[in-house]
């Protein structure tokens, strides 16, 4: 993958041509280009990853440059843009604001900061509306975590649908979720261009509804909110579904919960990364941390 052409639209979303936006590098970056410095190569690789939708990869590369060159406008600004594309709006606001302090006259950074601030303002309103509406979904769309939950999932093969962007490196966290459900033999499904690390021991496949490549087990665990399953989920065979909640996204949950539960026809179990998050969302579910501690205590007592 290569950087955009000079007259191509800039990937930051400003609407400008690349040569008029992030193709305009500060003096230090121009010197790196002239000397073929490894730092410039990292920036190019980060931009290529960003254009391909591999936002986690792009962020890691920009962070490496930012650590060594905290005053390089292009690294700070594009790191902020990558966080914006990843949905980390608070961090994006912090970084783009820092970039503007480095280059107050940059039009692209000013545009992006206004865009981020507009989203943050809308999120406040969305959160208020969502928090009023979410409790109404509890009885209709969320299965209470009764004593037989693990019995229904124990030892069962299942599909894990990873709905994140970039490389998926949270294997330990996923393993804890499987332990919490006491499930086994997962098939991990990814949305292109997401990748699993080489160390992953589970089989994985790419979701491709056009060619009939969709999850087919009776139980499905959704990890992440970044892709809607609307294009294939109505044809899926899942009879029981779990959704892992690892960040507070009430407006997204408002859409995901009815969709995954098929408006209450399919039992949906919510799994929370922490007790604080469970309290914040306010819907019944299992706290993975607490479940792991309880299971460890039972195992110690049985020894």
């Amino acid at each position: 993958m290569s950087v955009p052409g000079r007259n191509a639209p800039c990937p930051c979303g400003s609407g400008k041509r690349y040569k008029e936006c992030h193709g305009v590098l500060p003096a230090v970056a121009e010197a790196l280009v002239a000397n073929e410095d490894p730092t410039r190569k990292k920036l190019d690789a980060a931009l290529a990853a960003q254009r391909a939708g591999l936002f986690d990869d792009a962020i890691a590369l920009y962070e490496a440059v930012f650590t060594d060159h905290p005053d390089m406008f292009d690294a700070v600004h594009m790191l902020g843009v990558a966080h914006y594309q990843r949905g980390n709006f608070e961090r994006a606001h912090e970084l783009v604001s820092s970039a503007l302090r480095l280059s107050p006259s940059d039009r692209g950074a000013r545009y992006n900061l206004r865009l981020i601030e507009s989203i943050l303002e809308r999120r406040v309103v969305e959160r208020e509306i969502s928090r009023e509406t979410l409790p109404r979904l509890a009885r209709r769309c969320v299965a209470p975590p009764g004593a037989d939950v693990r019995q229904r999932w124990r030892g069962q093969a299942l599909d894990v649908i990873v709905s994140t962007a970039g490389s998926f490196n949270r294997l330990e966290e996923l393993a804890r979720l499987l332990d919490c459900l006491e499930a086994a033999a997962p098939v991990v499904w990814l949305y292109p261009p997401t990748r699993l690390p080489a160390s992953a021991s589970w089989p994985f496949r790419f979701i491709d509804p056009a060619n009939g490549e969709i999850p087919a087990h009776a139980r499905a665990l959704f990890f992440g909110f970044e892709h809607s399953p609307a294009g294939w989920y109505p044809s899926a065979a899942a009879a029981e579904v779990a959704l892992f909640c690892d960040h507070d996204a009430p407006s997204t949950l408002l859409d995901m919960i009815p969709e995954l539960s098929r408006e209450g026809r399919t039992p949906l179990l919510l799994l929370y990364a922490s007790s604080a998050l469970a309290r914040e969302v306010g819907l019944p579910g299992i706290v993975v941390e607490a479940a792991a501690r309880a299971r460890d205590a039972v195992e110690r007592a049985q020894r």
Side-chain angles (χ1 to χ4, degrees), residues 10 12 18 20-25 73-74 77-78 81 112:
C10 186
C12 78
Y18 178 66
E20 297 169 343
C21 194
H22 289 95
V24 181
L25 304 178
F73 168 80
D74 208 50
H77 187 192
M78 292 306 284
V81 172
N112 287 330

Side-chain angles (χ1 to χ4, degrees), residues 8-196:
C10 186
C12 78
S14 67
K16 301 184 182 71
R17 289 179 294 179
Y18 178 66
K19 69 180 182 181
E20 297 169 343
C21 194
H22 289 95
V24 181
L25 304 178
V28 63
E30 290 175 351
L32 293 176
V33 172
N35 296 324
E36 296 186 356
D37 190 278
T39 300
R40 183 61 228 169
K41 293 180 179 179
K42 288 180 183 177
L43 285 174
D44 288 344
L47 185 56
Q50 199 169 4
R51 292 180 67 209
L54 302 173
F55 302 128
D56 288 341
D57 293 356
I59 287 171
L61 288 163
Y62 284 131
E63 285 281 7
V65 178
F66 177 64
T67 298
D68 294 333
H69 303 280
D71 295 329
M72 182 187 290
F73 168 80
D74 208 50
V76 179
H77 187 192
M78 292 306 284
L79 177 58
V81 172
H83 274 289
Y84 160 74
Q85 292 172 309
R86 189 70 174 78
N88 305 326
F89 300 118
E90 288 81 4
R91 179 60 173 156
H93 186 272
E94 177 185 346
L95 287 162
V96 175
S97 297
S98 297
L100 265 176
R101 287 193 290 272
L102 294 171
S103 182
S105 63
D106 186 84
R107 291 182 296 170
R110 289 204 306 271
Y111 172 88
N112 287 330
L113 186 62
R114 289 195 300 271
L115 186 66
I116 294 166
E117 288 176 342
S118 175
I119 289 174
L120 289 173
E121 290 172 1
R122 290 203 306 271
R123 287 186 78 196
V124 173
V125 177
E126 289 175 355
R127 283 175 183 271
E128 292 176 356
I129 295 173
S130 299
R131 293 198 192 290
E132 293 177 1
T133 308
L134 269 175
R136 303 174 193 173
L137 301 178
R139 293 182 181 178
R140 182 165 59 91
C141 295
V142 179
D148 62 337
V149 167
R150 287 185 181 79
Q151 184 63 43
R152 296 198 304 271
W153 289 77
R154 182 175 297 135
Q156 299 295 321
L158 79 159
D159 294 307
V160 176
I161 297 90
V162 173
S163 183
T164 60
S167 298
F168 182 71
N169 296 308
R170 300 164 66 183
L171 299 180
E172 292 184 6
E173 196 168 4
L174 179 54
R176 287 198 297 272
L177 286 174
L178 296 174
D179 286 343
C180 178
L181 293 172
E182 300 185 28
V187 175
V188 180
W189 291 83
L190 308 172
Y191 289 88
T194 310
R195 299 191 304 268
L196 279 177

Side-chain angles (χ1 to χ4, degrees), residues 214-219 232-240 262:
I214 64 172
H217 284 110
R219 289 165 181 80
W232 58 268
Y233 189 63
S235 302
E240 292 207 41
R262 298 185 173 102

